[in-house]
Amino acid sequence: MRPLQLTEVGADQLNALWLRGGFPDSFSAASDQASMDWRLDFLRTYLERDIPALGPRIPAATLRRFWTMLAHVQGGLLNAAALAEGLGVSGQTIGRHIDLLVDLMLVRRSHNHSPQGYACR
């Protein structure tokens, strides 16, 4: 299911949609804090229960840290070696983590035709 779109909520709701995201429960929460609480609970459940139920055995804290690291480099060239060093894992492990997040549609990989490889968005 796709997230709420601006055409569905109305142009006057652009800021709310940007801040709260497209999950209906987050978007329609009673307050910005309630929306943030919903998103944090969703993320925790996803990392601690849903992803392990699919098979990967990556500690939730590691996956959360990795996801946060990716968010900080979004839109730029991906330096897998720097991410690997920051997490204390191999470059191959970083590749598997990225593949997992791409497969789960949590991260998009943008092929930018540069010699360095990929940009994450």
Side-chain angles (χ1 to χ4, degrees):
M1 181 177 204
R2 297 180 63 206
L4 292 172
Q5 303 292 307
L6 187 58
T7 56
E8 295 174 298
V9 300
D12 60 320
Q13 295 295 313
L14 174 63
N15 288 337
L17 186 61
W18 180 255
L19 174 69
R20 295 179 176 201
F23 285 107
D25 288 342
S26 177
F27 180 78
S28 63
S31 68
D32 288 344
Q33 185 60 51
S35 173
M36 176 62 81
D37 292 344
W38 184 92
R39 284 178 278 142
L40 290 172
D41 287 344
F42 174 83
L43 180 60
R44 184 174 36 260
T45 299
Y46 202 76
L47 293 173
E48 293 175 2
R49 186 190 70 201
D50 296 347
I51 292 174
L54 296 172
R57 297 292 178 230
I58 305 167
T62 300
L63 200 51
R64 179 185 207 98
R65 186 168 165 220
F66 178 63
W67 199 359
T68 301
M69 292 168 76
L70 283 178
H72 285 282
V73 298
Q74 65 88 25
L77 291 178
L78 178 66
N79 184 339
L83 293 172
E85 184 178 334
L87 278 180
V89 299
S90 71
Q92 292 150 335
T93 299
I94 292 298
R96 286 192 299 273
H97 287 4
I98 290 172
D99 289 343
L100 171 66
L101 295 179
V102 167
D103 290 347
L104 295 172
M105 295 186 289
L106 299 173
V107 169
R108 238 181 329 170
R109 187 179 281 146
S110 172
H111 301 272
N112 64 3
H113 305 293
S114 76
Q116 290 84 9
Y118 298 104
C120 282
R121 294 183 182 201

